[in-house]
Amino acid sequence: MTSPMEQHGTYKIVRVIGSNFVCSQDSSGQEIILRGLGIGFKKSAGDLLPAARVEKIYALRDPGQCDRLMQLMQDVPSEYLDISTHIIETAERVLGRRLSENVYITLTDHISFAVERLRNGVEYPNQLLWEIKNFYPQEYALGQQALDVIESVLGLRLPEDEAGFMALHIVNAELDGRMADMVPITKLIREVVNYAQAYYGVTFDESSVDYERFVVHLKFLAQRLFQGRYAPDGDTGFQNLIARHYAADYECAQAIGQHIRETFDLNFPSSEQFFLTVHLHRLSVSMGLSTEEE
């Protein structure tokens, strides 16, 4: 069987999505989407496309996602996927990690609705904007950059609330979770931070490295809790030692665990309590409440 990408460097078009997007297949027969300026113009299924004209390949592992992206490309202007691709590739460089492939669909779709709302004069306030700015500062900065990109391409300036929404899409893609979980995840982080500050009687230094590590830990902790996936149990003897050695921090972790169970109706196993204790201890040291290093 001949590979869809021929030896002389061409792709065989399976179908044309738009003037700048076509569908092809990789060597395993999986459908892929190719992007390039004018690569679909006056083209038909079966035509060969020089690989040199391809600027981006969308090879989504999940066939269902690939179908959804192709359907989306038929429903929205191709510029929206171009904008999303620019934002996603910038985010991956800044964050130093690959994002979930699903973000190409969710972010493009969100941009489409955000632009439509703006043109129709419909406001959609972001009730979690403060939390997003404070808990996800890197992602929020990327969301602000996204507004600049959209303005430069479409000539429309989306409101600041949209920078927060796009930041949540990026965080969700980092966690590779469900977008529907992002609001409760962010609320859980807020609850834990507020509870810990009240317990220690201080306001955390949001510019400190230990606070940043704490919030990052909470992001992944919340994701695990909502997905029912927990940190593995470690050495019980070592955990007991930590509980005795960092008694105040362990007490805080226990109280937070109980608060999470009651407020969010989530399981909070002892393994998660142990790791939370370690992060709380780092914070207590950095705040001068404890001079004892780990």
Side-chain angles (χ1 to χ4, degrees):
M1 177 174 152
T2 304
S3 168
M5 185 171 183
E6 308 294 341
Q7 290 185 351
H8 55 281
T10 60
Y11 287 93
K12 182 179 291 185
I13 297 175
V14 173
R15 61 181 176 274
V16 176
I17 301 174
S19 60
N20 297 322
F21 294 88
V22 300
C23 176
S24 183
Q25 291 180 327
D26 62 17
S27 58
S28 66
Q30 177 181 325
E31 288 192 334
I32 55 177
I33 297 174
L34 310 178
R35 185 194 73 188
L37 183 62
I39 60 174
F41 183 65
K42 292 186 177 180
K43 296 293 184 180
S44 303
D47 289 348
L48 296 180
L49 174 68
R53 295 192 59 193
V54 176
E55 300 170 2
K56 174 74 177 177
I57 300 174
Y58 300 89
L60 278 64
R61 290 185 294 269
D62 184 344
Q65 287 186 341
C66 194
D67 290 341
R68 286 179 59 201
L69 183 56
M70 284 189 282
Q71 181 61 51
L72 184 62
M73 288 311 303
Q74 294 172 349
D75 296 337
V76 304
S78 60
E79 291 86 353
Y80 293 1
L81 182 56
D82 290 334
I83 292 169
S84 291
T85 300
H86 179 87
I87 295 168
I88 293 163
E89 291 176 348
T90 300
E92 289 181 332
R93 286 196 301 272
V94 171
L95 300 172
R97 61 185 304 151
R98 292 294 301 273
L99 302 182
S100 168
E101 295 173 337
N102 193 50
V103 72
Y104 285 102
I105 299 168
T106 59
L107 187 57
T108 302
D109 197 39
H110 181 86
I111 290 171
S112 174
F113 278 111
V115 170
E116 182 180 350
R117 285 195 299 268
L118 182 65
R119 287 173 172 164
N120 292 332
V122 178
E123 295 185 4
Y124 192 71
N126 190 332
Q127 303 296 338
L128 293 173
L129 190 59
W130 184 90
E131 286 84 355
I132 294 167
K133 286 181 179 180
N134 286 274
F135 298 151
Y136 315 131
Q138 280 188 299
E139 292 85 354
Y140 179 72
L142 289 163
Q144 290 181 304
Q145 291 181 39
L147 300 192
D148 295 336
V149 173
I150 292 169
E151 184 175 22
S152 67
V153 175
L154 302 179
L156 297 170
R157 184 70 186 183
L158 294 176
E160 182 184 20
D161 295 83
E162 290 298 336
F165 287 128
M166 292 185 202
L168 282 185
H169 279 284
I170 293 170
V171 175
N172 182 60
E174 287 183 86
L175 300 177
D176 197 12
R178 300 179 305 172
M179 193 61 192
D181 288 337
M182 285 314 304
V183 169
I185 282 175
T186 304
K187 288 181 178 178
L188 187 147
I189 294 172
R190 178 182 62 195
E191 289 283 327
V192 173
V193 169
N194 289 343
Y195 199 100
Q197 288 184 137
Y199 176 87
Y200 291 109
V202 298
T203 298
F204 295 147
D205 178 5
E206 296 173 1
S207 64
S208 73
V209 173
D210 289 306
Y211 176 79
E212 181 179 340
R213 287 173 177 166
F214 181 56
V215 171
V216 169
H217 173 72
L218 293 182
K219 278 194 277 188
F220 288 96
L221 166 63
Q223 180 203 28
R224 290 194 297 273
L225 295 181
F226 280 102
Q227 292 183 354
R229 298 186 297 106
Y230 310 111
D233 289 326
D235 185 326
T236 302
F238 183 63
Q239 291 186 16
N240 291 336
L241 179 65
I242 290 292
R244 292 195 305 271
H245 212 48
Y246 306 148
D249 307 308
Y250 181 70
E251 181 181 275
C252 182
Q254 283 184 306
I256 287 172
Q258 186 61 32
H259 183 66
I260 288 174
R261 293 184 192 99
E262 294 173 354
T263 305
F264 295 92
D265 193 26
L266 295 171
N267 184 30
F268 194 86
S270 59
S271 58
E272 295 291 1
Q273 196 166 273
F274 162 71
F275 287 113
L276 182 59
T277 299
V278 172
H279 282 277
L280 287 168
H281 179 70
R282 287 174 177 166
L283 272 178
S284 68
V285 170
S286 69
M287 291 183 297
L289 302 177
S290 172
T291 58
E292 183 182 4
E293 296 291 348
E294 298 173 49

